[in-house]
Amino acid sequence: MNRTRPAGRRDQRRPAAIAGSAVARARRNRPHYWFADRLLAVLSGQRPVHWMLGHTVGEAYEQLVRLAPGAPLRPADRVTPVVRECGEFQPGPGVIEAFARIGSGDRVSAMAFRLEQGADQRWRCSAVELGGERVGV
């Protein structure tokens, strides 16, 4: 008698939700997913801009300071925005150019950003674009 399966179950497969959640957790540990979530929180008004202090380089932080009060990704219909998809391109060592599709109800927005890895091996955001408008340098 196998005590790890429910009574009457004969197949050895695990439920899909368990396997899928492990994949989702592994993807979220990637730096571009982490930054997409943080940028979304700031640009939707959920978190203050100083939350990104130390995670940006160059003019990116000052640009976020100017942009954040307008909360360009704030939901119009009270549905919390989420990162639906996030992709990356690595044009060279220590650089990630990423995009994120932001969903909030029926609305979908796009965000692009650039990450650079410093000598301390930490990733920092150096540029952000929303709707084709450059937000960071």
Side-chain angles (χ1 to χ4, degrees):
M1 179 175 193
N2 186 340
R3 297 189 190 278
T4 61
R5 291 187 300 214
R9 184 168 176 177
R10 301 202 188 292
D11 64 8
Q12 298 291 324
R13 295 175 294 161
R14 298 186 74 190
I18 292 173
S21 63
V23 170
R25 278 193 306 269
R27 287 175 47 184
R28 291 287 174 173
N29 288 334
R30 306 276 316 244
H32 60 289
Y33 272 94
W34 188 85
F35 272 92
D37 286 334
R38 287 185 83 90
L39 289 167
L40 173 59
V42 170
L43 296 173
S44 64
Q46 298 172 35
R47 299 291 272 180
V49 73
H50 69 263
W51 199 46
M52 290 299 292
L53 193 61
H55 299 292
T56 57
V57 293
E59 292 290 316
Y61 182 77
E62 287 80 18
Q63 293 292 333
L64 285 173
V65 166
R66 287 191 287 274
L67 188 66
L73 296 178
R74 176 174 287 146
D77 53 3
R78 294 186 181 221
V79 177
T80 303
V82 296
V83 176
R84 286 189 181 172
E85 182 182 356
C86 192
E88 70 173 316
F89 171 70
Q90 295 185 350
V95 177
I96 295 176
E97 292 181 352
F99 73 88
R101 287 189 184 101
I102 311 299
S104 179
D106 292 337
R107 180 180 165 201
V108 178
S109 303
M111 175 173 57
F113 53 98
R114 180 181 175 96
L115 304 177
E116 296 177 4
Q117 193 172 31
D120 60 359
Q121 300 303 303
R122 291 182 55 209
W123 290 97
R124 291 177 181 85
C125 183
S126 61
V128 179
E129 289 185 26
L130 297 173
E133 182 177 333
R134 186 103 194 222
V135 179
V137 178

